[in-house]
Amino acid sequence: MNQDHPPLRKLENMHILFWLIKDFCWVSDYKLIGIIMIVPTLLIAIGITWFNRKWVAECCHNLAICSWIAANSTWMCGEFFFNDTTRPLAKIFFVIGFIPLLYYYVLKRLIKNNLS
């Protein structure tokens, strides 16, 4: 019996590894590797979102993850190079991440309840 995970699960697991490397580099002040790791971490998150675009719940949560990574990456770059002045910009990415979740958890439910 084959116990392999679906291909998307393997991509998600790799994504976690890249994300942890990026954040470890951030807290360890390894600037070059931390900056380099933004690219695969964000690209894989975008790819996972694209693969899940047909499922509203998955898509909304993955859009929020993309925003979260963008926020963390902006914050990290601010700490590395801009005397921690990019937090306001990072906050914008965090707020953007709430939008698909707001849609999924609030608006979608209200629309469903009004149609019932």
Side-chain angles (χ1 to χ4, degrees), residues 5 9 11 15 25 29 31 36 39 41 45 49 55 58 66 72 75 77 83 89 97-100 102 104 107 112:
H5 294 286
R9 176 60 65 197
L11 189 61
H15 179 249
C25 290
D29 208 30
K31 295 176 184 172
I36 290 170
V39 175
T41 305
T49 303
W55 297 278
E58 294 297 317
C66 289
N72 280 120
W75 186 359
C77 290
N83 198 26
L89 182 57
F98 284 118
I99 293 170
L102 177 68
Y104 181 72
L107 298 177
K112 182 180 177 183

Side-chain angles (χ1 to χ4, degrees), residues 24-40:
F24 177 78
C25 290
W26 180 8
V27 301
S28 301
D29 208 30
Y30 299 144
K31 295 176 184 172
L32 179 62
I33 300 170
I35 297 302
I36 290 170
M37 292 308 298
I38 292 170
V39 175

Side-chain angles (χ1 to χ4, degrees), residues 16-27:
I16 292 167
L17 173 64
F18 288 161
W19 196 344
L20 283 171
I21 292 169
K22 179 190 75 62
D23 283 358
F24 177 78
C25 290
W26 180 8
V27 301

Side-chain angles (χ1 to χ4, degrees), residues 6-116:
L8 187 58
R9 176 60 65 197
K10 290 179 182 180
L11 189 61
E12 289 169 338
N13 291 340
M14 186 185 335
H15 179 249
I16 292 167
L17 173 64
F18 288 161
W19 196 344
L20 283 171
I21 292 169
K22 179 190 75 62
D23 283 358
F24 177 78
C25 290
W26 180 8
V27 301
S28 301
D29 208 30
Y30 299 144
K31 295 176 184 172
L32 179 62
I33 300 170
I35 297 302
I36 290 170
M37 292 308 298
I38 292 170
V39 175
T41 305
L42 192 53
L43 287 177
I44 291 173
I46 292 167
I48 291 168
T49 303
W50 178 256
F51 286 125
N52 285 315
R53 69 190 182 276
K54 295 178 184 175
W55 297 278
V56 174
E58 294 297 317
C59 187
C60 287
H61 286 86
N62 283 293
L63 284 169
I65 289 170
C66 289
S67 292
W68 183 0
I69 294 168
N72 280 120
S73 298
T74 302
W75 186 359
M76 178 180 73
C77 290
E79 285 189 1
F80 282 169
F81 305 111
F82 302 105
N83 198 26
D84 201 19
T85 59
T86 60
R87 284 189 193 209
L89 182 57
K91 287 180 184 178
I92 292 169
F93 284 113
F94 280 120
V95 170
I96 290 169
F98 284 118
I99 293 170
L101 297 178
L102 177 68
Y103 166 76
Y104 181 72
Y105 286 106
V106 178
L107 298 177
K108 189 171 185 278
R109 303 276 190 249
L110 288 173
I111 292 167
K112 182 180 177 183
N113 288 340
N114 285 338
L115 293 177
S116 309

